[in-house]
């Protein structure tokens, strides 16, 4: 008993099953976790190496390079990047997608533990960080006020951070831009020198006097007690009274103990006011929108507190808003597309009950998909929503074909609706099943194939489409036939236009069958026509083009290290210019970040609907009058949808020579057509005092170079001691020279260093001090030091065009020995993604052929249908040329979906022709009759799919609200499907006929080789 027969015999049961599934889907839509991106783990590990108050060169030499050597022995390392800064370093290791990061994390920790003894003792606790899509903050808030908030940590921590952390669904809250106070023991260089105090011994006295640990347990009278020796400092006075030297010298005699704010080295502005940042993260599985709404509601309450008066809270980044905007745009596009599809169905069917029955498959399929996603543990995110949106136009395809076949069989069995229904469904059952399978199977390489960034994202789109198509197939085989069998009447042939097409189409097919080679040559001409499109530049390919969002990033390119007040003054000057022209520049807010050697302003534009100028026009207007600043040269960053800027990477060993080479390359590339600017990505260099120890002098007084270096580090960098415990919690405790002594070179020369015999010498007696510059950051890629040259391109240039122009120029450029260049990750990323998609397209093509070969029990027949895929690709490029659309990454996704959709029409057509031939009809007559019978359902399915995507193709909806736009994908499907449908309806019968003759010729050769009698091609018309 088939599913259709079961549905007709048990109509109430089947109806209740689908009603239950619809109810479950409705409930699941409210229970599904709403996310920005699905749960995905990026195959990389970041090793953070905190080492404060050092230099990048020292961090690179002592820490980063040894760690790189250790981590390079890990298996499956794809890429390794590192950077060394004055406050430490970091090493990022990327593996292949699919690597088990839990195992890799353990292995990385073991590798570093093995070399831990060779790393500096002052190296703080090494942290390992993994990356997950859900690790991004759902809300990024900025706190600004008219008053200075630099010392408001306790108030903000109490009223803001802790209150938000208590909200259900919030996992953690980061408060930055304001720091907790610390206890600082500031040594006086003069007093230290006068009392000849050994700084290392002072640090040891403090460590020994401030401790707490568990010493074991004792039992007495059936009770168990924990023994805990405790010598914690209880007050600042107690710290000052600590004896640290001979003759009762106390710490207060040589130092001042202060409870104070840390030295501020960075700052933030929001609309010209000092600002503080707040990042809010949600728990795994929590609903993104619900948590964000709850947080914002609590923020409104917090804003009303008396202590928070005059303080403004601004949501700078809101993932929930992006998701809601994206979902609303997709939902609106889906509703408009569904409405257009219903109108198309009615235009063909001219019967409202029949139209509504076919359209019923859309909501039922979507609800079943939502229920399945909930029980399979998926989330509702921008990728799954994209899959639902793309499937809307395809969900009616099976229902259209089944309904058309059922009402066609009514003419054979006018008095037996159930028999006509069963016969109609059976006639197309294999075709709709194979069509659904081929549509779904194109995603198989993305789901089960080699894992990369593209396939990981595509798999979430694919699973949603596959589930919805499977649901539409089940509905088309059960619920649709049951409802159709209860409608009286015959199939409506449509209006005058449709009837005229049905009359003339068989004549066109007959002509192409009589002039098959003319049709084939014409089809080949259509295929060749795509070549001039690329040769003339009418179609440009750029996988990750420039992405003009509603935020403009203006880095200042600071040319040195300056006092924070000076950098802030430059920021104030730029902000004053922007706000003086706020209406002309059409922005809402300006957020700025700055530190000693870096500054950047983010200009948040008004919504696109409220602007009269394009993003590029606004950039030009801002740059036209931008004030010149002494500390840098502000220019806009180039934003690309792939997240990476086009660049070259220059590698070598000497950092100083690297700067010279990179600057030379930048000047060379500025002359390349299509490049408007080239800049070396180098942080501002800073000055350092170099202490060169005279080993002979140090040895004579009983000191080693290491002991001298440790004494200098204690004085300047400071020593982090065990935290000081107060009533409000633990407070950092730091020992170092006071700021005036640390900034004074003469005082540093007089630094006393205790020798082994108890006497002391000053630093200037055993070392030479000099001043030199040092890079603020040293970057390495794959264990080679390098600098990046960022390329700022013109609007009409693509990466491939730039590569063609730059490669011969760079090959001729003479690099110094030991220095080399290579293209940055943005160029390689485009090649990798293109190669991955081409591989998946070829695998999908093979899988489609296997399914159709098994379905038709023929090796040659599938080739006739596969030609439709080639025609669809030609249609994509022609449509892109006519609409001026750049071929992007999203267009590749559209072509992948297109492969599965296009073959449906061919399968329905060829399957019907073969059934007519099996019934005894001559081949050419069967071709003409089959083409006429399947013309209406093919046009209906194409019309519903195309019109369902029209809103996306002309809209501005993008992934996540600010990601790649959807319109290239929609236009690829529309152009390819429309073109291939027209061409295939005209040429596919002739191609099928020729392939059939070719098969007969092969069989004739086979029989002749076996010695059987061959009578010619008389059988070709059978």
């Amino acid at each position: 008993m088939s599913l259709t027969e079961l549905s007709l015999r048990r109509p109430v049961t089947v109806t209740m099953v689908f009603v239950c599934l619809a109810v479950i889907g409705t409930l699941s839509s409210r229970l599904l976790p709403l996310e920005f991106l699905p749960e995905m783990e990026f195959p990389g590990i970041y090793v953070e190496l905190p080492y404060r108050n050092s230099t990048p060169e020292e961090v690179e030499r002592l820490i980063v390079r040894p760690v790189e050597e250790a981590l390079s022995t890990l298996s499956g390392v794809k890429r390794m990047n590192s950077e060394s800064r004055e406050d430490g370093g970091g090493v990022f290791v990327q593996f292949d997608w699919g690597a088990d990061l839990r195992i890799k994390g353990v292995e990385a920790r073991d590798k570093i533990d093995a070399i831990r003894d060779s790393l500096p003792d002052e190296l703080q606790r090494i942290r390992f960080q993994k990356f997950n899509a859900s690790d991004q903050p759902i809300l990024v808030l900025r706190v600004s006020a008219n008053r200075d908030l630099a010392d408001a940590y306790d108030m903000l921590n109490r009223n803001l951070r802790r209150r938000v952390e208590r909200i259900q669904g919030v996992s953690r809250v980061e408060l930055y831009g304001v720091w907790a106070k610390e206890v600082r023991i500031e040594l006086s260089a003069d007093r230290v020198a006068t009392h000849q105090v050994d700084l290392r011994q002072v640090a040891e006295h403090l460590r020994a006097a401030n401790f707490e640990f568990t010493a074991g347990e004792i039992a007495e009278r059936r009770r168990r007690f924990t023994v805990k020796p405790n010598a914690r400092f209880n007050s600042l006075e107690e710290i000052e009274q600590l004896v640290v030297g001979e003759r009762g010298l106390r710490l207060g005699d040589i130092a001042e103990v202060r409870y104070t704010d840390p030295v501020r080295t960075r700052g933030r502005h929001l609309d010209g006011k000092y600002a503080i940042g707040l990042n809010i993260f949600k728990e795994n599985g929590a609903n993104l929108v619900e948590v964000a709404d709850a947080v914002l509601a609590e923020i409104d309450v917090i804003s009303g507190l008396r202590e928070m008066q005059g303080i403004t809270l601004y949501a700078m980044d809101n993932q929930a808003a992006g998701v809601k905007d994206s979902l609303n745009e997709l939902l609106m596009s889906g509703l408009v597309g569904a409405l257009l599809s219903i109108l198309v169905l009615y235009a063909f069917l001219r019967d409202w009950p029949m139209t509504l029955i076919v359209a019923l498959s859309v909501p039922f399929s979507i609800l079943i998909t939502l229920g399945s996603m909930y029980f399979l543990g998926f989330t509702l995110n921008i990728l799954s929503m994209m899959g639902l949106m793309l499937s809307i136009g395809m969900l009616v395809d099976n229902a259209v074909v089944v309904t058309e076949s059922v009402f066609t069989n009514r003419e054979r069995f006018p008095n037996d609706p159930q028999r006509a229904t069963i016969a109609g469904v059976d006639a197309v059952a294999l075709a709709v099943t194979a069509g659904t399978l081929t549509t779904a199977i194109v995603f198989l390489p993305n789901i089960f194939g080699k894992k990369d960034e593209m396939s990981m994202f595509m798999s979430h789109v694919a699973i949603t489409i596959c589930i919805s198509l499977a649901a539409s197939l089940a509905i088309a085989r059960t619920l649709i036939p049951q409802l159709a069998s209860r409608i009286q009447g015959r199939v409506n042939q449509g209006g005058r236009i449709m009837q005229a097409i049905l009359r003339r189409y068989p004549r066109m097919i007959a002509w192409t069958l009589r002039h098959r080679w003319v049709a084939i040559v014409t089809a080949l001409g259509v295929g060749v026509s795509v070549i001039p499109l690329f040769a003339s530049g009418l179609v440009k390919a750029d996988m990750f083009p420039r992405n003009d969002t509603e935020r403009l990033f203006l880095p200042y390119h600071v040319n040195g290290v300056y006092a924070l007040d000076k950098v802030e003054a430059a920021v104030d000057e730029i902000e004053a210019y922007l706000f003086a022209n706020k209406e002309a520049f059409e922005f809402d807010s300006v957020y700025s970040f700055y530190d000693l050697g870096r500054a950047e302003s983010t200009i948040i534009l008004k919504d696109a609907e409220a602007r009269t100028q394009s993003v590029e026009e606004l950039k030009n207007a801002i740059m036209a009058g931008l004030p010149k600043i002494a500390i840098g040269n502000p220019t806009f960053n180039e934003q690309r949808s792939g997240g990476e800027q086009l660049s070259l990477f220059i590698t070598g060993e000497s950092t100083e020579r690297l700067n010279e080479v990179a600057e030379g390359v930048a000047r060379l590339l500025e002359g390349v057509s299509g490049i408007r600017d080239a800049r070396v990505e180098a942080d501002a260099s800073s000055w350092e005092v170099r202490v060169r120890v005279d080993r002979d002098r140090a040895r004579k007084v009983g000191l080693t170079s290491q002991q001298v270096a440790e004494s200098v580090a204690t004085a300047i960098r400071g020593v982090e001691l065990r935290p000081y415990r107060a009533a409000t919690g633990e407070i950092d405790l730091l020992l170092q020279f006071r700021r005036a002594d640390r900034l004074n070179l003469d005082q540093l020369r007089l630094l006393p260093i205790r020798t082994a015999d108890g006497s002391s010498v000053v630093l200037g007696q055993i070392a030479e001090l000099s001043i030199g510059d040092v890079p603020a950051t040293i970057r390495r890629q794959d264990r080679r030091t390098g600098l990046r040259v960022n390329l700022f391109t013109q609007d009409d240039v693509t990466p491939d065009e730039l590569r063609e122009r730059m490669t011969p120029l760079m090959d001729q450029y003479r690099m110094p020995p030991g220095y080399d260049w290579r293209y940055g990750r943005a160029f390689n990323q485009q090649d990798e993604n293109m190669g991955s998609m081409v591989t998946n397209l070829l695998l999908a093509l093979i899988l489609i052929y296997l399914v159709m070969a098994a379905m038709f029990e023929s090796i040659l027949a599938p080739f006739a249908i596969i030609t439709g895929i080639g025609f669809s690709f030609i249609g994509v490029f022609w449509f892109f040329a006519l609409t001026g659309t750049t071929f992007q990454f999203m267009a590749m996704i559209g072509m992948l979906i297109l492969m599965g959709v296009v073959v449906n029409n061919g399968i329905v057509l060829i399957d019907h022709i073969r059934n007519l031939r099996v019934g005894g009809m001559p081949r050419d007559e069967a071709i003409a009759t089959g083409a006429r019978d399947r013309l209406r359902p093919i046009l209906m399915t194409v019309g519903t799919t195309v019109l369902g995507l029209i809103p996306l193709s002309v809209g501005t909806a993008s992934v996540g609200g600010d990601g790649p736009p959807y319109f290239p994908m929609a236009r690829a499907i529309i152009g390819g499907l429309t073109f291939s449908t027209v061409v295939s309806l005209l040429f596919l019968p002739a191609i099928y006929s020729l392939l059939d003759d070719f098969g007969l010729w092969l069989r004739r050769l086979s029989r002749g080789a076996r010695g059987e009698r061959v009578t010619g091609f008389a059988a070709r018309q059978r």
Side-chain angles (χ1 to χ4, degrees):
M1 182 186 298
S2 66
L3 289 175
T4 306
E5 293 174 340
L6 176 63
S7 177
L8 294 175
R9 291 186 182 182
R10 305 292 298 273
V12 176
T13 301
V14 172
T15 302
M16 290 301 103
V17 169
F18 280 100
V19 170
C20 288
L21 292 175
V23 172
I24 292 173
T26 304
L27 296 175
S28 299
S29 66
R30 301 181 62 84
L31 298 175
L32 273 171
L34 196 60
E35 301 275 2
F36 182 72
L37 287 172
E39 187 80 15
M40 288 189 298
E41 196 169 46
F42 184 80
I45 295 175
Y46 181 74
V47 182
E48 187 177 353
L49 306 163
Y51 191 67
R52 55 184 287 177
N53 293 333
S54 181
T55 65
E57 290 180 340
E58 182 183 17
V59 171
E60 180 196 23
R61 184 180 71 255
L62 298 180
I63 302 174
V64 170
R65 290 201 179 206
V67 171
E68 283 183 343
E69 293 289 338
L71 295 178
S72 65
T73 60
L74 292 171
S75 61
V77 175
K78 184 178 180 181
R79 184 166 58 95
M80 182 184 295
N81 292 342
S82 68
E83 61 177 22
S84 304
R85 307 174 305 274
E86 62 180 13
D87 60 346
V91 180
F92 174 75
V93 185
Q94 182 179 342
F95 305 94
D96 290 324
W97 284 88
D100 191 333
L101 287 188
R102 289 178 297 180
I103 296 177
K104 295 298 182 184
V106 172
E107 292 177 353
R109 194 178 296 274
D110 290 342
K111 297 288 185 182
I112 294 179
D113 286 343
I115 64 166
R116 190 64 178 86
D117 292 340
S118 64
L119 299 177
D121 294 335
E122 293 83 1
L123 178 63
Q124 299 175 12
R125 187 166 63 93
I126 299 174
R127 292 189 285 269
F128 293 80
Q129 184 178 356
K130 301 175 186 176
F131 301 94
N132 193 296
S134 61
D135 290 339
Q136 299 178 358
I138 63 171
L139 277 171
V140 177
L141 302 180
R142 291 294 178 260
V143 184
S144 66
N146 295 322
R147 66 178 189 269
D148 187 7
L149 296 177
D151 59 348
Y153 176 84
D154 291 336
M155 186 270 291
L156 292 174
N157 185 56
R158 178 177 65 255
N159 291 329
L160 187 58
R161 178 172 170 266
R162 291 182 181 177
R163 290 185 62 141
V164 173
E165 276 183 335
R166 290 195 290 265
I167 297 174
Q168 185 175 0
V170 174
S171 61
R172 61 190 174 95
V173 177
E174 293 179 350
L175 180 64
Y176 52 92
V178 60
W179 296 269
K181 289 187 175 183
E182 63 184 11
V183 174
R184 196 181 304 146
I185 304 172
E186 297 184 336
L187 297 165
S188 170
D190 294 336
R191 297 177 186 177
V192 169
T194 301
H195 293 282
Q196 296 184 346
V197 177
D198 186 355
L199 299 183
R200 290 172 295 169
Q201 289 184 359
V202 173
E204 288 301 323
H205 279 300
L206 286 166
R207 290 192 184 99
N210 184 36
F211 65 86
E212 180 183 25
F213 63 90
T214 301
E217 296 179 344
I218 60 174
E220 181 181 355
R221 298 179 182 179
R222 299 183 180 181
R223 298 177 67 183
R224 188 178 299 274
F225 299 91
T226 300
V227 179
K228 182 180 292 186
N230 185 345
R232 289 277 190 181
F233 292 129
N234 295 318
S235 65
L236 300 185
E237 291 75 14
E238 190 174 338
I239 299 176
E240 291 177 340
Q241 295 302 315
L242 178 68
V243 176
V244 295
E246 299 174 355
R247 297 184 297 276
L249 180 68
R250 300 184 183 275
L251 185 61
D253 298 331
I254 58 172
E256 182 182 0
V257 182
R258 301 172 57 204
Y259 177 58
T260 183
D261 295 311
V263 177
R264 190 159 65 98
T265 58
R266 59 181 61 92
R268 294 168 177 82
H269 283 183
L270 177 62
D271 293 339
K273 302 174 184 177
Y274 187 82
I276 293 167
L278 195 74
N279 290 344
I280 300 167
F281 300 81
K282 75 174 188 64
E283 297 174 348
N284 288 333
N287 189 296
L288 170 65
V289 174
E290 291 180 358
V291 175
D293 289 344
V295 170
L296 292 176
E298 182 66 18
I299 292 296
D300 291 338
V301 176
I302 293 172
S303 300
L305 297 177
R306 187 174 62 179
E307 286 184 294
M308 299 292 289
Q309 295 301 311
I311 296 177
T312 303
L313 299 174
Y314 171 74
M316 186 171 178
D317 283 318
N318 187 349
Q319 273 194 9
V323 170
K324 286 191 288 187
D325 291 343
S326 181
L327 294 184
N328 289 336
E329 289 177 345
L330 286 176
L331 182 61
M332 184 57 63
S333 299
L335 291 176
V336 174
L339 180 60
L340 292 175
S341 299
I342 292 175
L343 294 178
V344 169
L345 290 175
Y346 179 75
F348 280 97
L349 300 175
R350 297 302 177 108
D351 185 275
W352 277 115
M354 193 172 171
T355 300
L356 294 177
I357 288 175
V358 173
L360 194 65
S361 59
V362 175
F364 269 94
S365 298
I366 291 177
L367 290 175
I368 292 173
T369 303
L370 293 175
S372 302
M373 290 172 59
Y374 176 74
F375 287 105
L376 291 174
F378 293 107
T379 62
L380 195 60
N381 51 71
I382 58 176
L383 297 180
S384 57
M385 280 298 296
M386 184 171 76
L388 287 174
M389 176 64 219
L390 292 173
S391 64
I392 284 178
M394 298 183 283
L395 294 179
V396 299
D397 290 0
N398 293 330
V400 166
V401 174
V402 168
T403 305
E404 178 78 10
S405 180
V406 167
F407 279 86
T408 299
N409 277 270
R410 287 279 183 91
E411 298 178 359
R412 294 174 56 196
F413 311 105
N415 299 320
D416 193 346
Q418 288 204 358
R419 185 177 179 185
T421 300
I422 294 173
V425 175
D426 290 344
V428 295
L430 185 59
V432 296
T433 303
T436 302
L437 189 58
T438 53
T439 303
I441 209 170
V442 298
F443 298 107
L444 208 60
N446 291 285
I447 299 175
F448 299 105
K450 181 183 177 181
K451 298 298 182 184
D452 55 23
E453 190 172 5
M454 181 176 289
S455 64
M456 290 295 292
F457 280 94
M458 278 299 299
S459 62
H460 291 271
V461 179
I463 290 173
T464 308
I465 294 178
C466 292
I467 295 174
S468 61
L469 289 178
S472 73
L473 177 62
I475 292 170
R477 295 286 302 273
T478 55
L479 190 61
I480 298 299
Q482 179 198 134
L483 297 174
S485 66
R486 284 164 168 73
I487 296 179
Q488 302 298 321
R490 302 170 63 183
V491 63
N492 191 310
Q493 295 299 323
R496 295 179 181 178
I497 297 177
M498 191 68 233
Q499 292 179 12
I501 294 175
L502 289 173
R503 286 195 305 270
R504 295 176 184 176
Y505 180 60
R507 301 175 197 167
M508 299 172 64
I509 297 301
W511 187 90
T512 57
L513 291 176
R514 291 194 303 270
H515 306 84
R516 293 184 301 179
W517 288 108
V518 175
I520 296 301
V521 171
T522 305
L524 291 175
V526 170
V528 174
S529 69
V530 76
I531 297 176
L533 297 180
F534 289 96
S536 62
L538 289 175
V539 177
K540 292 189 175 183
D542 190 353
M543 291 295 103
F544 301 101
R546 291 173 59 178
N547 186 25
D548 291 331
T549 65
E550 295 180 354
R551 295 191 178 185
L552 306 182
F553 298 96
L554 183 67
Y556 289 30
H557 303 293
V558 179
N559 53 28
V561 174
Y562 299 91
L564 192 65
D565 293 342
K566 190 168 185 178
V567 180
E568 186 175 14
V571 172
D572 290 339
E573 184 178 358
I574 298 295
E575 288 180 340
Y577 162 73
L578 292 174
F579 282 104
N581 300 274
K582 184 174 182 180
E583 295 301 323
F585 296 156
E586 300 181 334
F587 67 85
D588 286 329
S589 294
V590 175
Y591 167 73
S592 300
F593 170 83
Y594 55 92
D595 59 21
L596 303 179
R598 181 165 52 106
E600 181 178 81
S601 291
T602 301
I603 304 170
I604 304 170
L605 302 177
K606 295 180 179 179
D607 294 337
E609 298 81 9
R611 296 200 309 265
T612 59
Q613 304 175 73
S614 67
V615 172
E616 195 62 30
E617 289 173 341
L618 288 173
K619 286 183 179 180
N620 294 333
I622 293 172
M623 291 301 300
L626 194 69
K628 302 294 183 181
I629 57 175
I631 67 171
N633 183 22
T635 56
F636 283 107
N637 262 351
E638 187 170 287
Q639 299 155 248
R640 303 181 66 86
S641 58
E644 294 277 350
Q645 184 162 358
L646 294 176
S647 62
L648 263 68
F649 199 74
I650 314 298
T651 58
E653 290 303 321
S654 170
T655 305
E656 296 179 0
R657 190 70 188 276
L658 264 176
N659 274 314
E660 298 176 6
V661 175
E663 290 290 350
V665 171
R667 287 192 296 269
L668 177 70
L669 295 179
E670 285 178 349
V672 175
S673 176
I675 297 178
R676 55 183 175 85
D677 193 13
R679 287 184 175 273
V680 178
E681 185 185 55
D683 293 334
S685 59
S686 59
W687 296 95
E688 68 176 2
V689 176
R690 295 167 180 168
V691 180
R692 186 174 183 83
V693 179
D694 188 317
R695 291 184 176 85
D696 292 335
R697 294 180 186 176
R699 187 179 63 254
K700 289 179 181 179
V701 295
L703 292 172
T704 64
S705 298
Q706 180 67 27
Q707 290 173 326
V708 175
E710 289 175 357
S711 296
V712 174
T714 301
I716 305 302
R717 176 189 301 149
V719 179
E720 290 190 357
L721 304 170
R722 294 188 184 96
Y724 166 75
R725 183 167 295 175
T728 57
E730 291 188 342
I731 302 173
D732 291 339
L733 184 61
L734 180 67
L735 170 69
Q736 65 179 170
F737 269 18
R738 62 187 181 186
R739 184 174 177 80
D741 293 339
R742 284 185 282 122
L743 298 178
N744 192 317
L745 190 60
D746 293 334
Q747 291 287 356
L748 182 59
R749 287 193 178 97
L750 297 177
L751 175 70
I753 301 176
R754 194 69 172 256
T755 62
D757 60 2
S759 62
S760 63
V761 296
V762 298
L763 179 63
Q765 295 175 345
I766 56 176
E768 295 181 359
L769 278 66
S770 61
I771 297 177
D773 63 339
V774 61
T777 303
I778 298 177
R779 294 181 175 87
R780 289 166 57 83
Q781 191 174 91
D782 295 328
R783 299 166 63 192
R784 294 200 67 187
T785 304
L787 281 177
R788 194 184 313 276
V789 179
N790 291 326
L791 307 177
F792 300 86
T793 62
Q794 297 175 355
D795 290 342
D796 57 347
V797 70
T798 66
D800 289 337
E801 292 172 341
L802 280 182
R803 191 194 294 265
E804 292 176 2
R805 300 167 189 172
M806 291 164 53
T807 301
L809 199 63
M810 291 301 301
D811 288 341
Q812 296 174 8
Y813 186 75
R814 299 184 63 180
M815 290 274 188
Y819 292 78
D820 200 1
W821 70 277
R822 59 188 173 198
Y823 285 108
R825 188 164 177 261
F827 287 100
N828 298 330
Q829 185 182 30
Q830 175 157 323
D831 294 339
E832 291 172 2
N833 288 329
M834 179 69 81
S836 174
M837 281 301 294
V838 169
T839 301
N840 288 337
L841 288 174
L842 292 175
L843 289 174
L845 189 65
I846 294 172
L847 293 172
I848 289 173
Y849 174 81
L850 294 175
V851 171
M852 290 190 297
M855 170 189 171
F856 294 128
E857 197 60 36
S858 170
I859 296 176
L860 293 176
F863 285 107
I865 301 174
I866 286 177
T867 57
I869 297 177
F871 290 137
S872 70
F873 289 176
I874 295 169
V876 171
F877 297 125
W878 267 108
F879 193 69
F880 275 30
L882 293 174
T883 58
T885 305
T886 301
F887 189 81
Q888 303 177 18
F889 162 71
M890 295 295 286
M892 291 287 287
I893 298 177
M895 292 177 68
L896 181 65
I897 298 170
L898 189 61
M899 291 178 64
V901 177
V902 164
V903 297
N904 286 354
N905 298 332
I907 289 174
V908 170
L909 177 58
I910 299 301
D911 180 65
H912 187 47
I913 292 173
R914 289 172 63 89
N915 289 338
L916 293 176
R917 294 182 66 185
V918 170
M921 188 177 293
R923 187 187 68 185
D924 288 357
E925 183 182 350
I927 291 174
T929 304
R932 183 200 62 202
D933 293 344
R934 290 294 177 255
L935 178 61
R936 268 174 34 105
I938 288 175
L939 292 179
M940 279 192 286
T941 56
V942 171
T944 54
T945 302
V946 168
L947 287 181
L949 292 171
I950 287 292
L952 274 184
S953 68
V954 298
T956 59
S958 59
V959 178
D962 59 356
Y966 288 113
F967 70 83
M969 176 182 63
R971 291 179 186 178
I973 299 175
I974 290 173
L977 184 57
T978 303
F979 187 84
S980 68
T981 300
V982 174
V983 176
S984 297
L985 287 174
L986 294 176
F987 300 141
L988 182 59
I991 296 172
Y992 171 76
S993 174
L994 281 173
L995 288 173
D996 190 57
D997 282 351
F998 181 64
L1000 291 172
W1001 179 72
L1002 290 177
R1003 287 195 292 271
R1004 182 187 180 192
L1005 288 180
S1006 177
R1007 290 174 183 173
R1010 293 197 301 267
E1012 299 178 5
R1013 183 179 178 183
V1014 180
T1015 58
F1017 284 90
R1020 78 172 60 172
Q1021 299 298 324
R1022 298 291 297 170

